[in-house]
Amino acid sequence: MRRKVIAGNWKMNMLPDEAIKFIDDLAPLVKDVDAEVIICAPYTDLFYCLNYAQDTNIHIGAQNMHYEEKGAFTGEVSPQMLKAIGVEYVIIGHSERRQYYNETDETVNKKLKAAFEVGLKPIVCVGESLEQREAGKAEEIITNQTRLALDGLTNDQVKATIIAYEPIWAIGTGKTATSEDANNAIKAIRAEVARIYGEEVAEEIIIQYGGSVKSSNAKELFTTSDIDGGLVGGASLKPDEFSKIVRYNEQ
Ligand code: PGA
């Protein structure tokens, strides 16, 4: 039985004082939940979040990193830097990074390997555009992205990877994939993992859904056969709303 993993992706939001207040407010609301609760914060909030989440069940992640350890990469942050301050998770290959910052399947793969080298847990994003979906190519796009992202990882590393299926047309638009469509897309991703790494790995790997997840649709999405939780953007900015998503099974 796979555990649910529910991660907030704050994107470029939250000043340190807001981040601290958020963690303080969220902690009592999600105490003792079964799901793994993760907040992926901007770099400038990470240290504060880590400190304030210390004695809670809230885990902290970054939203990106470089794949190199160090060097002349002005403005970049390395996996080692994140690890050194105690960050546990890192989002890799979010569609906004693929779209605005030239992330490719190749850099995504390098970043996944770099994350495992230092012991960061990756949340790797895959997802099709509306155009690709309408052309009937969604499954091909997401299975390809999955294969290329995981290329060269060991079975244990694949098991420890979290995949977030995020159809681009559902991100920040209020349009959610139907739970049936999302579950089918995730089944296709799991089947691709099974084809390459075997059934055992595919049964264990956590695959989330992301794209306009909110408290009113979380239960329907997360109680399907294959959706193992969510990557939540806009609805992760309010402790009360985010806690209801984490407590989807009580809605
Ligand atoms: P959204 O974003 O929940 O605001 O649609 C999800 C994401 O981009 O991870």
Side-chain angles (χ1 to χ4, degrees):
M1 186 62 185
R2 292 180 300 269
R3 195 177 178 209
K4 298 288 187 230
V5 179
I6 298 167
N9 171 14
W10 282 353
K11 308 193 179 182
M12 198 171 72
N13 293 290
M14 298 281 204
L15 296 172
D17 57 341
E18 295 168 321
I20 290 168
K21 182 163 180 350
F22 180 101
I23 300 290
D24 271 351
D25 289 348
L26 181 68
L29 302 177
V30 299
K31 197 169 156 259
D32 304 327
V33 294
D34 295 331
E36 175 98 340
V37 183
I38 308 168
I39 291 293
C40 296
Y43 293 133
T44 45
D45 291 334
L46 286 173
F47 195 69
Y48 299 98
C49 288
L50 285 160
N51 274 332
Y52 281 80
Q54 219 167 38
D55 298 319
T56 75
N57 58 333
I58 303 168
H59 300 257
I60 303 299
Q63 299 171 10
N64 179 40
M65 61 174 204
H66 201 283
Y67 48 80
E68 292 287 352
E69 181 185 345
K70 57 180 154 185
F73 301 101
T74 303
E76 290 293 322
V77 168
S78 74
Q80 285 76 3
M81 289 168 180
L82 295 177
K83 186 68 186 172
I85 64 166
V87 170
E88 197 178 336
Y89 287 92
V90 61
I91 299 174
I92 291 175
H94 189 280
S95 63
E96 286 151 17
R97 302 233 32 112
R98 293 182 192 248
Q99 200 177 339
Y100 307 135
Y101 304 100
N102 302 322
E103 290 265 355
T104 62
D105 290 323
E106 195 188 340
T107 59
V108 166
N109 178 247
K110 282 186 181 174
K111 288 181 180 194
L112 268 174
K113 287 177 179 156
F116 279 117
E117 251 168 53
V118 300
L120 286 167
K121 301 174 190 166
I123 302 173
V124 61
C125 303
V126 300
E128 81 286 358
S129 66
L130 188 57
E131 213 180 7
Q132 291 163 334
R133 168 154 289 252
E134 283 172 350
K137 290 197 171 138
E139 200 171 305
E140 180 191 332
I141 297 288
I142 58 179
T143 51
N144 269 340
Q145 286 176 340
T146 302
R147 178 172 46 77
L148 295 169
L150 302 177
D151 187 45
L153 297 185
T154 65
N155 280 17
D156 282 345
Q157 288 171 337
V158 174
K159 272 189 208 170
T161 301
I162 296 172
I163 297 178
Y165 165 60
E166 298 204 308
I168 297 170
W169 47 271
I171 295 178
T173 57
K175 284 185 208 151
T176 323
T178 64
S179 55
E180 197 188 343
D181 281 350
N183 194 47
N184 283 339
I186 287 175
K187 274 188 186 168
I189 293 169
R190 205 178 293 288
E192 181 69 358
V193 173
R195 187 181 69 77
I196 306 168
Y197 300 94
E199 284 295 337
E200 194 208 330
V201 175
E203 270 309 305
E204 270 191 50
I205 190 169
I206 300 286
I207 312 182
Q208 301 171 314
Y209 166 78
S212 299
V213 173
K214 37 191 185 278
S215 58
S216 57
N217 59 25
K219 185 172 185 178
E220 196 194 328
L221 288 160
F222 300 169
T223 50
T224 53
S225 65
D226 279 64
I227 303 180
D228 303 324
L231 183 57
V232 185
S236 75
L237 294 171
K238 298 224 166 70
D240 189 48
E241 171 68 2
F242 187 62
S243 71
K244 286 186 189 148
I245 296 172
V246 170
R247 297 182 169 278
Y248 66 94
N249 47 357
E250 296 166 21
Q251 300 293 314

